Every structure is written in structure tokens, then in C-alpha cells.
Amino acid sequence: MTSDSPIGVPGLPWGEAERDDWRSRQVRQRSYRDDIVTRIDALGDRFERIAYGQVRYADDAYTLLALRSRVMHPSLPSLLVTGGVHGYETSGVLGALAFLDQVADAYADRVNLLVAPCISPWAYERIHRWNYDAVDPNRNFRSDGPVEATALMALTRSFAGDYLMHIDLHETTDTDKTQFGPALSARDGKEFVEEEIPDGFYLVADSADPQLAFQQAIIAEVEKVTHIAPPDARGEIIGSPVIARGIIEYPLARLGLCPSITKARFKTTTEVYPDSPRATPDNCTLAQVTAIRAGLDFALAQHG
Ligand SMILES: [Zn+2]
């Protein structure tokens, strides 16, 4: 069991004892090495494999891995794809890998690629949102953030002067409501306010520069492979106003979210809904790959 909600005293943020209690309940349920490292290694003959950091927690050690274009052309724009910032959001990890395996060759002479498929491997194995320290990497892409965030930030800085596009691949799941939302409230000593989980795919734009036509181009293509989340009765998706069909916006930098780490003109976060009766794992992966491709086609057309 990985139940988080009963830990701690209601109204009081967790201390070290509560975090230890939470951690002791997290069970390794799958293998980063078997599932992900083997796939990255298999792509190593087509892309350059980069070990960009080490995560060490108690007896566990993970090598953070990315793949990039074998030949880097300074004159070409660059694309950054990130997955597994939240380890439990499996289609983001598999979508990043599937993009490299199935699609990336078609763009080889048009864009430099950097893909970090599984940014939080400890959480991948435990099917959780947080790292070992009960920290959500995706609120902490800051210089004093956890290693999952700072290692990626260092990698992206070393790779390209700037990026044309960054797409960060996520899911919104039923466990956000049943497990992770209550755990977050317990951790921070706050009352849990339940949000409706949207049934379908949506995108999160940067409120500082939403690039709406870019987001809409992605929605138009993803809609061909999966359904788009409708707004709720308040015209919102998970508490944020819908600014266009299937699109909400957050202040990415203020929240320390992953797509704030580059100055890419085109940024987005995908949110696939894997718990729909209409969704399958393959379909969720396809939605992620379709989003990358559609965004890249739009960005390259704008780039000229
Ligand atoms: Zn996520």
C-alpha cells in the first residue's frame, strides 16, 4: 500500500518523523533499470546517451539519463522534451522514448534534439509524485531545488544557447484526487479541497507568454487520437480558467515548473488522462508523441 493521507496531525505540516513514516510506506513497484535504462541503451546507437547526474537515496542510486542528436548543428533550432518529472505519469516517460524511436529520424536535419525521458527515477519506481524527501520536483525547478531539477537545469544550459521549443510530458490521474492531493494537504498541514479530475487531454501554457496558436495546433492534432478535456461547470480545468479549448495557463517561472528552465519561445505541458474508460496505455503514449510532433511542426514552420 502507498496510502499517504493518514500521516501526521491535521492542520500541522509534516516534520522529519512524518516524512520518515511516509517514506517507509513507499514500495518499489517497478524497475527504472529494466523498464527505462534498457530502452535508453537501445536508442544509444542512434542518439548520444548522456549521463547527466546521479540520484542517491539511502541504498538506492540512479543515473539520470538523456539522449540527444548525435550531430549537433549550431545553425539548427533545438527541441527539449522532458518526461517523468512526476515518476508515476508513465505515458510521459514512454512518450518521450517512443518519439525518439519512431518519429525523431524524420526531423534529423531540421532540429537538434535533447530528450530527458525519466527525470525522477525514484518516484518512477514507486509510482509516486514526490522524490525521496517528499518534495515535488515540479514545484522546485530553482537553483536550490532537488537534484532531479538542478541536474536537468545544468544539462539544458550545457546543451544549447537557447531552445525553440520545450514540451514537458505529464498525466493528470484519478490518484491525483484519491492519493496525491490528500497527501499534499497532509504534508503541508492544509485542508484538502477536492478538484474534479478532467476527463481528457489538456495543455498548460505559460501565462507570461501563452503562444495560443501553438497550443491550439497541438490540440487539433491530439484530438485525432484522443478526446480533449471539457471545461467543468465553472469553465475551468483543475481550478484554472480554460483560455481556449483544452488549454489552461500557469505562471511557470513563479511556480518553479519544469518548462520555465529554458527561454524557449514555444513551451507547453501535456496532461494526458490515463484513467478514462476510453484510454489505453498505447493510446496515452500516442497522444504524447502526437503532441510533440504537432508542436514541433508548428514551431519549425514559425521558425522558417
Ligand atoms: Zn505531472
Side-chain angles (χ1 to χ4, degrees):
M1 292 296 291
T2 58
S3 175
D4 302 322
S5 45
I7 296 172
V9 179
L12 288 181
W14 288 358
E16 198 50 51
E18 288 80 14
R19 270 194 293 279
D20 286 345
D21 185 3
W22 169 81
R23 190 179 301 125
S24 73
R25 302 188 196 193
Q26 306 311 315
V27 178
R28 191 169 174 268
Q29 302 179 61
R30 55 187 182 179
S31 166
Y32 172 66
R33 169 154 294 284
D34 293 351
D35 299 353
I36 307 306
V37 176
T38 53
R39 291 184 203 212
I40 290 173
D41 289 347
L43 288 162
D45 57 349
R46 293 154 63 193
F47 302 93
E48 184 183 353
R49 178 186 183 279
I50 305 170
Y52 68 91
Q54 283 284 327
V55 177
R56 294 182 190 281
Y57 294 133
D59 296 333
D60 294 313
Y62 304 91
T63 301
L64 297 170
L65 295 169
L67 292 152
R68 74 173 183 182
S69 306
R70 280 216 161 268
V71 179
M72 302 296 297
H73 298 284
S75 60
L76 291 180
S78 296
L79 167 69
L80 174 61
V81 179
T82 45
V85 169
H86 291 137
Y88 68 113
E89 296 171 3
T90 307
S91 73
V93 180
L94 299 183
L97 292 167
F99 170 75
L100 285 174
D101 188 35
Q102 299 162 17
V103 177
D105 285 349
Y107 294 93
D109 57 355
R110 302 175 67 197
V111 67
N112 299 314
L113 300 175
L114 176 60
V115 178
C118 191
I119 285 166
S120 189
W122 187 90
Y124 173 86
E125 293 196 332
R126 285 147 186 91
I127 313 186
H128 209 287
R129 190 172 173 88
W130 296 341
N131 73 5
Y132 177 86
D133 297 314
V135 167
D136 183 341
N138 209 28
R139 294 295 180 277
N140 291 284
F141 279 88
R142 312 177 196 279
S143 57
D144 60 350
V147 62
E148 293 89 351
T150 55
L152 181 73
M153 292 162 71
L155 172 71
T156 55
R157 277 197 300 272
S158 70
F159 169 73
D162 208 350
Y163 295 80
L164 177 65
M165 170 178 158
H166 178 190
I167 184 166
D168 190 29
L169 309 177
H170 285 252
E171 296 179 342
T172 300
T173 66
D174 286 349
T175 48
D176 289 338
K177 183 167 70 177
T178 59
Q179 182 185 353
F180 301 124
L184 175 64
S185 298
R187 186 194 71 183
D188 295 345
K190 294 178 178 166
E191 190 181 347
F192 176 56
V193 180
E194 190 174 306
E195 287 283 0
E196 191 179 319
I197 299 299
D199 179 3
F201 179 94
Y202 65 98
L203 292 172
V204 182
D206 187 355
S207 55
D209 185 8
Q211 294 288 340
L212 207 53
F214 164 71
Q215 314 290 344
Q216 289 172 312
I218 296 173
I219 292 289
E221 286 303 306
V222 172
E223 186 155 32
K224 296 173 184 172
V225 301
T226 193
H227 57 290
I228 305 303
D232 63 19
R234 290 170 299 191
E236 297 178 344
I237 291 176
I238 57 164
S240 289
V242 173
I243 59 169
R245 182 171 152 66
I247 303 164
I248 62 171
E249 59 183 359
Y250 289 162
L252 300 181
R254 182 155 63 79
L255 295 176
L257 298 173
C258 183
S260 70
I261 64 174
T262 78
K263 293 185 169 63
R265 177 178 169 198
F266 299 106
K267 298 174 186 177
T268 197
T269 300
T270 65
E271 296 286 351
V272 165
Y273 180 51
D275 297 318
S276 167
R278 292 185 269 171
T280 65
D282 283 350
N283 177 257
C284 291
T285 300
L286 177 62
Q288 302 281 18
V289 173
T290 302
I292 303 168
R293 187 187 347 219
L296 187 53
D297 285 343
F298 184 93
L300 288 172
Q302 295 292 306
H303 185 71

